[in-house]
Amino acid sequence: LMLHLIAAVDKRGGIGKDNDLLCHISADLKRFKSLTMGHTMLMGRKTFESLPGVLPGRPHWVLTHQKDYSVSHDAVTIFHSVEAMQQAMEAGQDYFVIGGASMYEAFLPLADSLYLTEIDEAFDGADTFFPAWKKDEWEEQSRELHRPDGREKYSFSFVHYVRRFD
């Protein structure tokens, strides 16, 4: 199985503020959709609740410590521990951890790759951060720079890192 972490991070590693993204970059949202489509997404409850609704075409695995938390939707499965999520994963599948910070923290040691949108901006008031990670444990597979244009007001790069096993 392949486990990926996907996030948009600013220059200081910020990923969110008040349970929302730091900014909305339409190209990033499109990339997120194309990468995750057809694959299981793993997320914490607050991230799930911040979504506009259940995203089509992808199973949603939601981690919560609230024992009586429930969502009546076929695409949503509730888990109460990281271990239970790991045990439910199947060989040959791709899984995407989509947030929040504690989910990234828990799954970073297990991740095979990181799909980061690195935003060339430091946002004031970020209250949620991507965990610190060691650049030397990862190899940059690809980097695609996007400069501000009529639609996007920030410079950002789509970067794919793959864990080194050497």
Side-chain angles (χ1 to χ4, degrees):
L1 71 93
M2 290 291 282
L3 182 64
H4 313 280
L5 271 50
I6 185 168
V9 295
D10 79 356
K11 289 205 306 216
R12 298 190 199 115
I15 56 172
K17 177 182 178 175
D18 302 331
N19 207 28
D20 198 0
L21 299 173
L22 292 172
C23 65
H24 289 265
I25 296 175
S26 64
D28 177 53
L29 301 174
K30 285 192 185 90
R31 176 180 187 244
F32 175 88
K33 182 178 180 178
S34 71
L35 287 169
T36 59
M37 188 55 75
H39 303 297
T40 301
M41 299 185 306
L42 284 60
M43 67 201 84
R45 176 188 56 81
K46 285 194 275 193
T47 296
F48 173 68
E49 291 176 351
S50 76
L51 297 175
V54 173
L55 305 178
R58 300 152 266 192
H60 294 45
W61 286 8
V62 180
L63 181 66
T64 178
H65 298 294
Q66 298 178 9
K67 290 290 171 236
D68 54 358
Y69 189 77
S70 70
V71 176
S72 51
H73 194 291
D74 292 350
V76 180
T77 309
I78 305 295
F79 291 86
H80 297 289
S81 73
V82 167
E83 295 71 35
M85 273 186 162
Q86 282 177 260
Q87 284 161 3
M89 291 180 182
E90 296 172 32
Q93 300 292 321
D94 280 87
Y95 296 88
F96 284 84
V97 177
I98 69 165
S102 60
M103 289 290 288
Y104 291 134
E105 191 94 40
F107 285 98
L108 180 62
L110 310 167
D112 298 292
S113 87
L114 309 175
Y115 284 99
L116 299 183
T117 297
E118 298 179 350
I119 308 165
D120 193 21
E121 188 74 35
F123 292 92
D124 289 334
D127 57 18
T128 318
F129 295 85
F130 196 79
W133 52 286
K134 298 186 182 81
K135 275 254 161 98
D136 61 357
E137 292 177 7
W138 300 84
E139 187 175 335
E140 189 177 303
Q141 286 300 101
S142 62
R143 173 177 294 268
E144 188 186 308
L145 174 64
H146 293 257
R147 301 210 177 273
D149 59 24
R151 283 189 310 247
E152 311 290 359
K153 62 181 194 205
Y154 305 107
S155 262
F156 59 93
S157 295
F158 291 148
V159 193
H160 184 208
Y161 297 97
V162 176
R163 187 181 294 281
R164 291 177 187 271
F165 291 103
D166 42 42

